């Protein structure tokens, strides 16, 4: 009798879990889990996402028709203590696909910059000039189209995380950070739809004449960075 009751309880629990997933949806459930269990990350690393192929013929019509499919958020980790001589300070940039289609975005792990220079990709914006302490994060430049290796695909309602690593020794020399007066925002900018290259010719007429990249600018709210411990 006891075993039968336990089996029924397990079945009821599974039904309730399925109902929760249905109500919460694939976009909100990870947030709930992250709040309950902070050790669960909010997405796979952006570098693990697939790279597109043959964008002249394979794109999501849903994603192309969405006005603003991408949003970003930022999660700075605590600053290392002032006594830290090595190690890294980590800041997570979370990229969200808010649409029901597969969205492509510009991503190069070596070109995530600190402060916006109006080029395409991810970046961080501090409320002070970071060049003196942590540099620019890497140079980047736009052209008529993006190399495929600089494009990643986010599935419907999917998100990914890029972790910025800043040497602790560099960050702790910045007076604004040391005083606990700094804030940081994440941003994503793209300036081009992306030109489709049809060479070598001859080729069949492609379905799409651009790479289908969303053009626009989004940023997160400003998050305060607490002062480091002694």
């Amino acid at each position: 009798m006891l075993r039968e009751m336990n089996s029924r309880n397990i079945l009821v629990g599974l039904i309730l879990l399925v109902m929760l997933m249905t109500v919460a949806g694939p976009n909100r459930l990870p947030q709930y889990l992250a709040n309950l269990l902070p050790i669960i990350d909010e997405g796979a690393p952006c570098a693990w996402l697939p790279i597109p192929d043959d964008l002249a013929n394979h794109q999501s019509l849903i994603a192309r028709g969405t006005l603003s499919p991408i949003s970003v958020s930022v999660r700075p980790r605590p600053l290392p203590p002032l006594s830290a001589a090595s190690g890294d300070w980590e800041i997570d940039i979370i990229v969200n696909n808010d649409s029901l289609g597969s969205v492509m975005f510009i991503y190069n792990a070596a070109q995530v910059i600190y402060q916006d220079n109006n080029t395409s990709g991810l970046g961080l914006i501090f409320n002070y000039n970071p060049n003196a302490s942590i540099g620019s994060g890497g140079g980047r430049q736009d052209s008529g189209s993006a190399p495929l290796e600089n494009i990643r695909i986010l599935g419907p309602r999917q998100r990914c995380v890029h972790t910025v690593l800043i040497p602790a020794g560099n960050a702790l020399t910045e007076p604004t950070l040391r005083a606990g007066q700094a804030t940081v925002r994440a941003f994503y900018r793209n300036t081009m739809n992306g030109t489709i290259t049809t060479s070598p010719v001859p080729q069949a007429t492609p379905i799409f004449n651009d790479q289908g990249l969303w053009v626009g600018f989004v940023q997160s709210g400003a998050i305060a960075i607490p002062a480091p411990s002694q």
Side-chain angles (χ1 to χ4, degrees):
M1 183 68 177
L2 182 59
R3 181 177 298 177
E4 182 178 350
M5 290 180 62
N6 289 338
S7 299
R8 289 179 179 176
N9 290 337
I10 293 173
L11 179 60
V12 171
L14 290 174
I15 293 174
L16 291 175
L17 180 60
V18 171
M19 291 177 63
L20 174 63
M21 295 177 65
T22 303
V23 174
N27 190 42
R28 294 184 180 180
L29 187 59
Q31 296 176 359
Y32 296 151
L33 292 176
N35 291 334
L36 292 172
L37 300 170
I39 60 172
I40 296 180
D41 205 353
E42 292 197 47
C46 296
W48 291 5
L49 296 176
I51 296 173
D53 185 30
D54 190 16
L55 290 178
N57 295 293
H58 300 291
Q59 295 185 32
S60 168
L61 293 176
I62 295 176
R64 287 181 65 96
T66 304
L67 293 178
S68 184
I70 295 174
S71 63
V72 294
S73 56
V74 66
R75 183 176 54 198
R77 306 293 177 92
L79 280 160
L82 291 174
S83 58
S86 60
D88 294 312
W89 175 37
E90 299 181 359
I91 303 177
D92 294 331
I93 301 175
I94 302 156
V95 185
N96 305 279
N97 175 4
D98 299 323
S99 80
L100 295 176
S102 295
V103 167
M104 293 170 295
F105 70 103
I106 302 293
Y107 175 74
N108 184 320
Q111 296 179 359
V112 177
I113 61 175
Y114 316 145
Q115 301 304 96
D116 181 15
N117 65 358
N118 296 317
T119 58
S120 300
L122 292 173
L124 297 172
I125 300 175
F126 295 90
N127 65 331
Y128 70 94
N129 188 344
N131 287 338
S133 56
I134 61 175
S136 63
R140 66 188 188 200
Q141 183 176 345
D142 285 349
S143 60
S145 63
L148 290 181
E149 61 267 22
N150 284 0
I151 301 176
R152 294 294 187 276
I153 303 175
L154 268 177
R157 302 293 192 184
Q158 187 183 12
R159 62 183 62 191
C160 72
V161 178
H162 172 82
T163 300
V164 176
L165 301 178
I166 298 173
N170 293 4
L172 295 175
T173 62
E174 171 55 46
T176 308
L177 286 170
R178 291 169 64 99
Q181 299 173 345
T183 63
V184 63
R185 288 175 285 158
F187 75 90
Y188 172 74
R189 179 190 299 279
N190 183 45
T191 64
M192 55 190 172
N193 293 115
T195 304
I196 290 290
T197 301
T198 58
S199 61
V201 288
Q203 282 189 352
T205 302
I207 298 173
F208 304 104
N209 57 11
D210 60 56
Q211 293 176 311
L213 298 170
W214 174 72
V215 175
F217 174 81
V218 291
Q219 63 180 337
S220 71
I223 303 297
I225 303 170
S229 60
Q230 297 297 325

